[in-house]
Amino acid sequence: MGDNFKKNFPQAPRYRHSLLEESDSLKMAADVLSGKDRKKHAKDYEKDPDVTLLLKLYDAKMLEPYVLISAPDRDIASNDYVPYREQHRDQLEAYLSQFIVPPAPSKP
Protein backbone atom coordinates (compact mmCIF):
# COMPACT_ATOMS: atom_id res chain seq x y z
CA MET A 1 0.00 0.00 0.00
CA GLY A 2 2.51 2.62 1.08
CA ASP A 3 5.51 1.74 -1.11
CA ASN A 4 3.62 1.55 -4.42
CA PHE A 5 1.70 4.71 -3.64
CA LYS A 6 4.88 6.64 -2.82
CA LYS A 7 6.49 5.35 -6.02
CA ASN A 8 3.53 6.32 -8.23
CA PHE A 9 2.61 9.55 -6.45
CA PRO A 10 5.85 10.99 -5.03
CA GLN A 11 4.38 14.49 -4.59
CA ALA A 12 1.36 13.36 -2.55
CA PRO A 13 1.56 14.55 1.05
CA ARG A 14 -0.18 11.44 2.41
CA TYR A 15 -1.50 8.07 1.33
CA ARG A 16 -4.86 8.06 -0.45
CA HIS A 17 -6.85 5.44 -2.28
CA SER A 18 -6.15 5.72 -6.00
CA LEU A 19 -7.54 4.59 -9.35
CA LEU A 20 -4.24 2.86 -10.06
CA GLU A 21 -4.42 0.86 -6.82
CA GLU A 22 -8.05 -0.13 -7.30
CA SER A 23 -7.73 -1.07 -10.96
CA ASP A 24 -4.55 -3.06 -10.27
CA SER A 25 -6.35 -5.01 -7.55
CA LEU A 26 -9.25 -5.82 -9.87
CA LYS A 27 -6.83 -6.79 -12.66
CA MET A 28 -5.02 -9.19 -10.33
CA ALA A 29 -8.29 -10.82 -9.31
CA ALA A 30 -9.42 -11.08 -12.94
CA ASP A 31 -6.03 -12.50 -13.95
CA VAL A 32 -6.48 -15.29 -11.42
CA LEU A 33 -10.04 -15.96 -12.56
CA SER A 34 -8.99 -15.83 -16.21
CA GLY A 35 -6.16 -18.28 -15.75
CA LYS A 36 -5.77 -21.64 -17.37
CA ASP A 37 -8.83 -23.04 -15.58
CA ARG A 38 -11.28 -20.34 -16.72
CA LYS A 39 -13.16 -22.65 -19.09
CA LYS A 40 -13.15 -25.41 -16.49
CA HIS A 41 -14.84 -23.14 -13.92
CA ALA A 42 -17.05 -21.15 -16.31
CA LYS A 43 -20.29 -22.64 -14.95
CA ASP A 44 -19.29 -21.71 -11.40
CA TYR A 45 -18.43 -18.17 -12.48
CA GLU A 46 -21.78 -17.74 -14.23
CA LYS A 47 -23.52 -18.34 -10.89
CA ASP A 48 -21.82 -15.30 -9.33
CA PRO A 49 -22.90 -12.02 -10.93
CA ASP A 50 -19.95 -10.14 -9.43
CA VAL A 51 -17.42 -12.53 -10.98
CA THR A 52 -19.30 -12.45 -14.27
CA LEU A 53 -19.23 -8.65 -14.31
CA LEU A 54 -15.55 -8.52 -13.33
CA LEU A 55 -14.61 -10.85 -16.18
CA LYS A 56 -16.73 -8.90 -18.70
CA LEU A 57 -15.11 -5.64 -17.62
CA TYR A 58 -11.65 -7.21 -17.74
CA ASP A 59 -12.19 -8.71 -21.20
CA ALA A 60 -13.51 -5.36 -22.47
CA LYS A 61 -10.60 -3.47 -20.86
CA MET A 62 -13.06 -1.36 -18.89
CA LEU A 63 -11.85 -1.76 -15.31
CA GLU A 64 -10.70 1.86 -14.92
CA PRO A 65 -13.97 3.34 -16.25
CA TYR A 66 -15.88 0.98 -13.96
CA VAL A 67 -13.94 2.18 -10.93
CA LEU A 68 -14.38 5.84 -11.88
CA ILE A 69 -18.07 5.75 -12.77
CA SER A 70 -19.62 2.83 -10.91
CA ALA A 71 -17.43 2.31 -7.86
CA PRO A 72 -15.51 5.47 -6.94
CA ASP A 73 -14.69 6.56 -3.44
CA ARG A 74 -14.00 10.13 -2.37
CA ASP A 75 -10.24 9.97 -3.00
CA ILE A 76 -10.61 8.47 -6.47
CA ALA A 77 -13.45 10.78 -7.50
CA SER A 78 -11.74 13.95 -6.36
CA ASN A 79 -8.19 13.15 -7.52
CA ASP A 80 -8.29 10.70 -10.42
CA TYR A 81 -11.46 11.30 -12.44
CA VAL A 82 -10.59 14.58 -14.18
CA PRO A 83 -7.06 13.58 -15.27
CA TYR A 84 -8.34 10.23 -16.52
CA ARG A 85 -11.26 11.87 -18.38
CA GLU A 86 -8.93 14.31 -20.11
CA GLN A 87 -6.91 11.45 -21.60
CA HIS A 88 -9.55 8.71 -21.95
CA ARG A 89 -12.89 10.35 -22.68
CA ASP A 90 -13.55 7.85 -25.48
CA GLN A 91 -13.10 4.93 -23.10
CA LEU A 92 -15.47 6.47 -20.55
CA GLU A 93 -18.06 7.00 -23.29
CA ALA A 94 -17.62 3.41 -24.48
CA TYR A 95 -18.10 2.15 -20.91
CA LEU A 96 -21.29 4.16 -20.55
CA SER A 97 -22.69 2.85 -23.82
CA GLN A 98 -21.67 -0.78 -23.25
CA PHE A 99 -22.41 -1.21 -19.55
CA ILE A 100 -24.66 1.59 -18.30
CA VAL A 101 -26.99 3.01 -20.95
CA PRO A 102 -28.85 0.41 -22.97
CA PRO A 103 -28.85 0.82 -26.73
CA ALA A 104 -31.72 2.77 -28.17
CA PRO A 105 -34.42 0.64 -29.75
CA SER A 106 -34.18 0.39 -33.49
CA LYS A 107 -36.93 2.03 -35.49
CA PRO A 108 -39.13 -0.31 -37.52
Side-chain angles (χ1 to χ4, degrees), residues 1 10 12 16 20 39 59 63 70 97 108:
M1 177 171 99
R16 69 170 178 83
L20 179 63
K39 289 181 183 178
D59 291 342
L63 290 174
S70 298
S97 68

Side-chain angles (χ1 to χ4, degrees), residues 22-23 26-31 33-34 38 48-71 84 91-92 94-100:
E22 187 68 18
S23 61
L26 291 171
K27 284 177 189 170
M28 283 189 272
D31 281 340
L33 293 168
S34 292
R38 181 173 181 174
D48 188 328
D50 294 329
V51 171
T52 301
L53 176 61
L54 175 61
L55 292 173
K56 283 182 183 177
L57 293 166
Y58 177 75
D59 291 342
K61 299 182 180 1
M62 293 288 179
L63 290 174
E64 289 86 358
Y66 166 78
V67 171
L68 288 167
I69 293 173
S70 298
Y84 185 89
Q91 193 168 9
L92 291 169
Y95 173 77
L96 288 170
S97 68
Q98 290 176 32
F99 291 92
I100 303 297

Side-chain angles (χ1 to χ4, degrees), residues 17 25 31 42-43 47-48 53 56 62 85-86 104-106:
H17 196 207
S25 296
D31 281 340
K43 289 184 182 182
K47 295 176 187 174
D48 188 328
L53 176 61
K56 283 182 183 177
M62 293 288 179
R85 184 191 65 204
E86 288 173 357
S106 59

